[in-house]
Amino acid sequence: MQYNYKEIESKWQKIWDEKKPFAAKQDYTLPKYFSLVEFPYPSGQGLHVGHPRPYTALDIVSRKKRMQGYNVLFPMGWDAFGLPTENYAIKNKIHPRIVTENNVARFKSQLKALGLSFDWDREINTTDPEYYKWTQWIFLQLFKKGLAYKKEMAVNFCTSCKVVLANEEVVNGVCERCASAVIRKVKSQWMLRITEYADRLISDLDGLDYIERVKTQQINWIGKSYGAEVDFATTAGDTLTVYTTRCDTLFGATYMVIAPEHAYVEKWAPKLENYAEVVAYREAAGKKSDFERTELAKEKTGVMLKGVKAINPVNGKEIPIFISDYVLAGYGTGAIMAVPAHDERDWDFAKKFGLPIIEVVAGGDVQNEAFVDVETGKLVNSDFLNGMEVADAKEAMAAFLEEKGIGKKKVNFKLRDWVFSRQRYWGEPIPLVECEKCGWVAIPEEELPLRLPEVESYEPTETGESPLSMMTDWVNCTCPQCGGKAKRETDTMPQWAGSSWYFLRYCDPHNDKALASKEALEYWMPVDWYNGGMEHTTLHLLYSRFWAKFLFDIDVLACKEPYAKRTSHGMILGENGEKMSKSRGNVVNPDDIVRDYGADTMRLYEMFIGDFEKAAPWNPQSIKGCKRFLERFLDLSEIAAGEGVTPELEKVFHKTIKKVTADIDNMKFNTAIAAMMALVNTITEVGKITRCELSTFAKLLSPFAPHVAEEVYEMMGGKGLVSIAPWPTYDESKTVDDTVDFPVQINGKVRAVVAIPAAADKDGILAAVKADEKIAAALAGKTIVKEIVVPGKIVNIVVK
RNA sequence: GCGGGCGUGGCGGAACUGGCAGACGCGCCAGACUUAGGAUCUGGUAUCUCCGAUGUGCAGGUUCAAGUCCUGUCGCCCGCACCA
C-alpha cells in the first residue's frame, strides 16, 4: 500500500485541531496526570532535532495515560525573555517583542507538524504582561518576606561595549563580541535568599522519584558540610575566623590563607610591609572567575602577608598568613587554616612555598603526598587528641574550642544566594521603587503588571546601567508609601524568573485574579512527570523548587515539592558524534526530516535512536528503517480479515502489549519500538491477522506514530479516534511459554540448550538435562562437584 | 580543579534483582522480482588459525557464573552559579 504520509498527517492534524481530543478537561473529579517538558527558549535558529526528543517521549507518556483514562495536562509555552533575543534586537534594530513573536510562530508551526498532543489552549509566554504580572507578584511576596535583598557583587563589564556581560559572553577573559578587555565591576544587585531553603532543598528530595544522578548532583551542588569555625588571634591584635571541616587537624595547621578580597587585607594595610605586592596580586586575581581560580591544574600562587602573623590557638605557634586565589571570598569565612599534611591543595601550596608539613593523622607518608583518608588513620602529634580516630577527634576538638570560646560547630553550604538583577532591557521589570525617605518600597499589587516601557534603544548605557535608566519619565515616580520622590528600579529579572513557576500557570493560564486558582493548583499539582536536560539540574530545577517551596510557605501552593518525578534525556549529537551547533555545521533541521519521511517516522526515529537517557549521534541512514516499519505496518491492513484471535499470534500479542506498556513507564521507548517491529515481523511470517488484532496493534502504536495509527484504526472500522481509545490490556497467563529453553553449562560453558516444561522443579530439570545426549556425553567419566539450577534461567554443572 | 555521567560488532543500540552477549534497526553480502533500482521481498552477517577457541576501553580481583559487583587505570561527555 502506498504510504502517503503527507496526506495522512495533514488529515489527522486537522481533525485533532477541530475535535481537541488533547485538551485537559475541567472536571476535577477525574484521575489526573500532569506531564511536563521544559518549555523552549524560542531562538532565531528554530527547532533542531534535539528538541523533539523529550517532547516526543512525554507525548508518548501523555497519550498512553489519556488512553488509560487519565485527565492529562500536557502543555507547552515559551520561555522568551533572554539575552540572544535582546542582542539580535540591538544588532538588527528590531524590537525584541517582534523578534520573539516571529520566533514563537516558527517554533509553534514546527512543533505542530510533529503531531505532539499539547493542549494549545493553555499556551503561555513569559514575556506576556498577563504572565509576567505574576512573576512580578511572586517577587514582591519574596521581597515582603525579606527574601530579596541588595548586595554588592562583582559583574563582568566590557570596557569597549560598556555592557555588563554574562559569564558566557566572556571568552578567555575578553569580550566575546569585540575581544576587548573585561573588567570586574562592583554593582549593587538584588539577591534572593535561596540559601534559607538549602536544608529543605536537600531533605525534601527524599520522597521524590528523581533519577539518582539528578538527586546527587543537586545535593552536591547545595554542598552541605559539617565543620567548625575557629578563631585565630593575630599579631595585629585582632581575630581571624576560618571555616574548616577538619578541625581535628588543627595541630597540623602550619599557615593560613585568606581570599584576595578578604576585608582584612585593607584593615591590615598599614602593617603590611609588602602591601603593594599584595594589592597587585589581588588585582590579578580579580580578573579571574571563581572557576578559573579553583582549577588545580594551575600552579598554586599567592603572596605572604609580611607584618602580620596568626597564632595557632591550640599550641600558641605563630604561623604565616598568605593571600591566594584558591581560597574563595564567598565560601565559609573567606579564610582557611592550611593543613598541608592532610589536604591536597594545601600540600601543593606548602611544597611550592617551602612551608612545614606536620603529620597529625598517621597512616600516610605526608612528606610525599597529602594523606586525606578519614576512615583509617589515628591522630598523632596532637596533644589531647592523640590516638583518637578522625570522627572522634573532630568532636573532641569542637568541644574543646567551644569550651575555650574560640570556636564552634558550624554547618556550611556551597550553595550561594541567587543574583537576581540584570542590567538589561528584555526581562521583567523589578516592581520596586527607591524612596528618598522610605528606602526600597514595593509597588502596590494592583499596579501589576509593571509593563516594560517602550524605549528607543535597547543598548545598555555607558555606565552599564539598564537601558530603562535612561527613561527619566518612567524612572522618576512617587513613593507609594509616603508620596515623596522616588526612583524605579531599572534592573530587570533574569530569564530564570519566568521559568521558575511556569508549570503553575498551565494549571489555570487565563486567570486574572491569581497566578492560578487554588482549586486548579490543588487538582493538578504536583507535576507527575517532568523531563528535562541534565544541564538544568542545578539551576532551573533548584530555582523552581525554591519558588514552589516559598509559595507553599505563603499558602499559595498545597504541595511542598513541585515535581513528583524528574527524568532527563540524552543529547542528540551531530553525525560526527559532536554536539550540534551552527559553528560546527552539523545541525539537522526537523522540517527536512518531516518533509522527506513524515512526522511519524521522525518521531519513531527520535525514540528508536538509542537509550532515551543517553546521548546518541544522528544517523540519516537509519531513519529509513523506521519508515519501512510504518509501511509494513500499513500493509497489514491488506491482509487483515475476520474477527477474534489468530491462535499463532495470541501469545505474541499479549507479550508485546505487556512489554510496550512497561517500557513506556520505564522510558525504554527504543525497546518498545523494537518489540513492535518484531511483532510486524511475526505477523508477516504468519501471514494473517484479524481486524480486531490490527486495531489493537494500532492502539499500541498510536502514542509513537499517531497519524498512521489513526489511519489504520479507521480502516479497521474503529469508532472515534484511536488517540483516545482505551489502552490495550493483556492477560499475564498468556505471556508465559509452556516450555523454557534452558541453556546448560558445564564448567560455565554452554554445551546444550534443552527444552523443559516451565512447570518442572529442580529435580525434574536436572533429570531432563542429564537425559540430553550432548550433556550425557560431556558428563561421561567425570565427577559432578556441584549442580546449580536457576529456575527459568540456566543450569550449570561443575565437574572434575 | 570540583561535582555528575558514559565506554558492548562496520554503525545506533539490546541484555530484568550477576545467569545463552549482540534483541531490534542501519550498513554490508548473496538471491528473487525488474527495461531500470539509492524501490520491494527472501536468506546471511561479532572475531579468529571456524569439529574449537576468543570476545563488552585497559589491568587485576570476587563468583559455579561478570557487560553487570569490587580495586586501580585510560579515554570521552555534561555542569560549575549573568547562556537557556
Side-chain angles (χ1 to χ4, degrees):
Chain A
M1 181 184 281
Q2 177 72 31
Y3 174 31
N4 192 339
Y5 57 85
K6 280 191 179 135
E7 206 172 278
I8 292 174
E9 286 170 10
S10 67
K11 169 182 164 186
W12 291 103
Q13 283 174 17
K14 203 171 153 229
I15 291 172
W16 295 333
D17 271 346
E18 283 164 6
K19 300 199 167 164
K20 297 189 189 268
F22 310 128
K25 297 186 190 78
Q26 277 299 334
D27 184 350
Y28 291 166
T29 63
L30 298 168
K32 67 98 180 179
Y33 200 86
F34 187 174
S35 35
L36 183 67
V37 289
E38 289 173 339
F39 63 161
Y41 176 72
S43 73
Q45 281 84 53
L47 221 57
H48 78 74
V49 290
H51 287 102
R53 193 182 200 192
Y55 302 164
T56 307
L58 278 241
D59 188 46
I60 290 166
V61 170
S62 302
R63 285 174 173 274
K64 172 176 151 275
K65 286 283 176 189
R66 254 183 231 112
M67 293 172 76
Q68 288 178 320
Y70 287 87
N71 183 18
V72 172
L73 174 54
F74 184 46
M76 184 36 90
W78 316 105
D79 186 15
F81 276 129
L83 212 50
T85 300
E86 179 161 348
N87 287 342
Y88 182 89
I90 292 169
K91 202 172 162 192
N92 298 288
K93 310 234 178 287
I94 306 173
H95 195 289
R97 193 184 60 241
I98 308 291
V99 178
T100 299
E101 273 169 21
N102 293 340
N103 292 349
V104 163
R106 171 136 183 244
F107 263 68
K108 190 169 176 180
S109 76
Q110 289 181 298
L111 287 181
K112 291 211 91 167
L114 292 170
L116 298 161
S117 68
F118 291 126
D119 180 353
W120 287 107
D121 293 343
R122 291 175 185 250
E123 178 181 351
I124 58 168
N125 185 325
T126 56
T127 65
D128 178 353
E130 290 311 306
Y131 179 90
Y132 71 65
K133 169 180 179 176
W134 300 105
T135 311
Q136 292 173 328
W137 182 85
I138 297 169
F139 174 81
L140 283 187
Q141 311 314 308
L142 286 159
F143 174 74
K144 288 172 184 171
K145 294 282 178 193
L147 292 168
Y149 65 100
K150 276 250 173 176
K151 189 187 171 190
E152 301 267 292
M153 290 291 296
V155 296
N156 305 305
F157 187 74
C158 174
T159 45
S160 163
C161 306
K162 309 280 182 197
V163 178
V164 174
L165 298 177
N167 286 345
E168 197 192 48
E169 297 175 294
V170 182
V171 179
N172 300 323
V174 299
C175 175
E176 179 187 49
R177 281 168 292 187
C178 69
S180 307
V182 172
I183 56 165
R184 307 266 289 175
K185 203 170 171 170
V186 172
K187 278 201 67 76
S188 175
Q189 309 256 56
W190 284 103
M191 309 286 289
L192 295 185
R193 281 189 218 279
I194 188 171
T195 50
E196 290 257 311
Y197 284 74
D199 258 320
R200 289 165 66 188
L201 286 167
I202 292 176
S203 57
D204 290 346
L205 282 172
D206 248 358
L208 300 179
D209 182 15
Y210 282 21
I211 52 171
E212 215 45 48
R213 60 199 159 118
V214 169
K215 272 193 190 179
T216 40
Q217 209 154 303
Q218 288 218 342
I219 289 168
N220 291 340
W221 178 262
I222 296 167
K224 185 174 188 173
S225 69
Y226 299 87
E229 282 187 353
V230 185
D231 297 334
F232 282 65
T234 73
T235 57
D238 50 14
T239 303
L240 180 59
T241 304
V242 302
Y243 174 74
T244 176
T245 56
R246 292 296 306 276
C247 65
D248 56 298
T249 61
L250 188 47
F251 285 92
T254 54
Y255 66 102
M256 304 192 69
V257 186
I258 64 174
E261 294 84 358
H262 199 284
Y264 278 23
V265 173
E266 283 312 304
K267 189 177 167 194
W268 292 337
K271 296 197 173 65
L272 295 178
E273 294 156 26
N274 58 341
Y275 183 65
E277 193 190 352
V278 170
V279 168
Y281 183 83
R282 181 176 64 191
E283 275 173 13
K287 290 187 179 143
K288 297 187 206 167
S289 65
D290 287 355
F291 173 44
E292 289 171 311
R293 285 194 193 190
T294 52
E295 271 191 6
L296 238 169
K298 293 197 180 75
E299 277 261 302
K300 285 277 178 297
T301 59
V303 176
M304 193 198 289
L305 303 181
K306 292 182 181 155
V308 180
K309 290 202 168 207
I311 298 152
N312 188 327
V314 288
N315 58 19
K317 277 188 198 160
E318 279 194 8
I319 54 176
I321 305 171
F322 289 78
I323 65 165
S324 174
D325 58 11
Y326 80 96
V327 172
L328 303 175
Y331 182 68
T333 60
I336 62 159
M337 63 176 210
V339 184
H342 305 290
D343 181 280
E344 281 165 16
R345 293 158 302 180
D346 296 348
W347 192 91
D348 291 341
F349 192 90
K351 276 286 168 190
K352 173 147 183 207
F353 288 87
L355 297 157
I357 298 170
I358 301 174
E359 179 180 63
V360 290
V361 182
D365 176 8
V366 300
Q367 297 308 321
N368 283 314
E369 62 176 339
F371 178 67
V372 296
D373 188 341
V374 293
E375 301 292 329
T376 60
K378 289 227 170 25
L379 274 283
V380 292
N381 299 324
S382 296
D383 198 327
F384 64 95
L385 300 179
N386 285 342
M388 288 187 190
E389 293 190 357
V390 168
D392 299 332
K394 279 186 188 180
E395 290 299 322
M397 178 58 86
F400 174 81
L401 293 170
E402 205 135 345
E403 195 189 310
K404 295 270 172 190
I406 52 168
K408 57 174 192 293
K409 278 196 190 175
K410 167 96 186 181
V411 170
N412 240 330
F413 294 97
K414 284 212 180 77
L415 183 69
R416 311 204 286 256
D417 276 340
W418 175 4
V419 186
F420 203 68
S421 299
R422 299 290 183 275
Q423 291 72 44
R424 288 288 183 156
Y425 175 75
W426 196 228
E428 301 89 344
I430 292 176
L432 299 176
V433 302
E434 188 174 28
C435 168
E436 289 173 1
K437 271 189 270 172
C438 315
W440 286 104
V441 177
I443 71 166
E445 284 177 16
E446 51 284 8
E447 284 179 25
L448 296 180
L450 174 60
R451 286 171 188 269
L452 204 47
E454 295 294 321
V455 295
E456 275 167 32
S457 157
Y458 325 107
E459 311 226 17
T461 60
E462 285 282 300
T463 57
E465 294 296 328
S466 151
L468 298 181
S469 65
M470 302 295 283
M471 313 238 356
T472 44
D473 286 355
W474 184 80
V475 171
N476 294 317
C477 59
T478 53
C479 171
Q481 211 160 279
C482 72
K485 269 194 196 168
K487 283 183 190 299
R488 289 189 193 280
E489 170 61 60
T490 60
D491 284 353
T492 54
M493 299 187 197
Q495 169 280 336
W496 307 110
S499 62
S500 289
W501 71 280
Y502 72 111
F503 43 92
L504 301 177
R505 190 63 178 168
Y506 285 138
C507 298
D508 191 9
H510 310 296
N511 194 317
D512 59 358
K513 303 281 186 297
L515 56 86
S517 78
K518 244 181 142 106
E519 303 76 59
L521 290 175
E522 252 167 55
Y523 176 69
W524 288 114
M525 289 300 289
V527 172
D528 292 280
W529 187 338
Y530 188 22
N531 182 82
M534 267 324 271
E535 69 275 21
H536 293 116
T537 303
T538 50
L539 299 181
H540 160 67
L541 205 61
L542 216 50
Y543 291 153
S544 56
R545 288 183 59 221
F546 161 44
W547 275 31
K549 284 182 180 305
F550 171 71
L551 292 171
F552 170 79
D553 289 348
I554 62 167
D555 208 27
V556 170
L557 202 53
C559 51
K560 60 180 183 176
E561 280 289 337
Y563 319 119
K565 171 174 180 163
R566 169 73 181 194
T567 59
S568 209
H569 57 272
M571 215 184 293
I572 301 248
L573 306 171
E575 263 183 80
N576 51 5
E578 288 175 15
K579 193 173 167 173
M580 276 193 194
S581 73
K582 223 162 80 177
S583 57
R584 289 193 179 91
N586 58 356
V587 177
V588 180
N589 185 335
D591 298 351
D592 299 339
I593 311 300
V594 171
R595 185 193 61 223
D596 296 342
Y597 297 91
D600 281 333
T601 298
M602 165 79 184
R603 294 169 58 109
L604 224 37
Y605 177 62
E606 291 251 355
M607 292 298 101
F608 188 63
I609 194 167
D611 184 338
F612 180 63
E613 300 199 70
K614 288 185 197 150
W618 188 261
N619 182 352
Q621 288 280 11
S622 289
I623 300 169
K624 62 180 67 152
C626 292
K627 182 150 183 246
R628 273 181 207 150
F629 162 64
L630 290 178
E631 285 165 349
R632 297 180 65 205
F633 170 74
L634 205 53
D635 286 343
L636 296 179
S637 63
E638 291 176 347
I639 60 164
E643 301 303 321
V645 291
T646 309
E648 302 96 304
L649 294 176
E650 190 177 10
K651 280 202 167 168
V652 69
F653 255 100
H654 282 274
K655 282 183 192 175
T656 308
I657 293 168
K658 181 180 179 179
K659 177 153 183 66
V660 171
T661 306
D663 279 354
I664 292 174
D665 293 336
N666 296 323
M667 296 188 281
K668 299 282 177 197
F669 307 105
N670 52 339
T671 52
I673 293 167
M676 289 189 282
M677 287 173 165
L679 181 58
V680 168
N681 293 344
T682 307
I683 296 167
T684 309
E685 269 165 42
V686 170
K688 57 182 179 181
I689 183 172
T690 65
R691 293 171 67 86
C692 47
E693 280 170 333
L694 187 52
S695 280
T696 299
F697 197 171
K699 288 179 189 171
L700 263 195
L701 182 62
S702 77
F704 297 83
H707 312 84
V708 168
E710 292 282 11
E711 189 71 16
V712 168
Y713 188 72
E714 187 186 53
M715 283 192 282
M716 292 302 107
K719 292 195 176 65
L721 297 169
V722 73
S723 293
I724 46 172
W727 184 250
T729 54
Y730 61 92
D731 181 345
E732 184 66 43
S733 68
K734 289 180 178 153
T735 63
V736 288
D737 291 313
D738 304 332
T739 58
V740 179
D741 288 335
F742 269 82
V744 182
Q745 299 181 329
I746 294 186
N747 288 344
K749 301 231 183 272
V750 178
R751 294 301 173 196
V753 176
V754 184
I756 299 171
D761 62 1
K762 188 175 170 177
D763 293 339
I765 293 169
L766 272 178
V769 162
K770 286 175 187 166
D772 182 82
E773 254 176 64
K774 276 191 225 157
I775 299 301
L779 290 177
K782 302 272 170 60
T783 314
I784 294 176
V785 180
K786 202 170 182 183
E787 289 166 334
I788 295 118
V789 178
V790 185
K793 292 270 168 64
I794 203 162
V795 175
N796 190 9
I797 299 171
V798 185
V799 299
K800 249 197 311 207

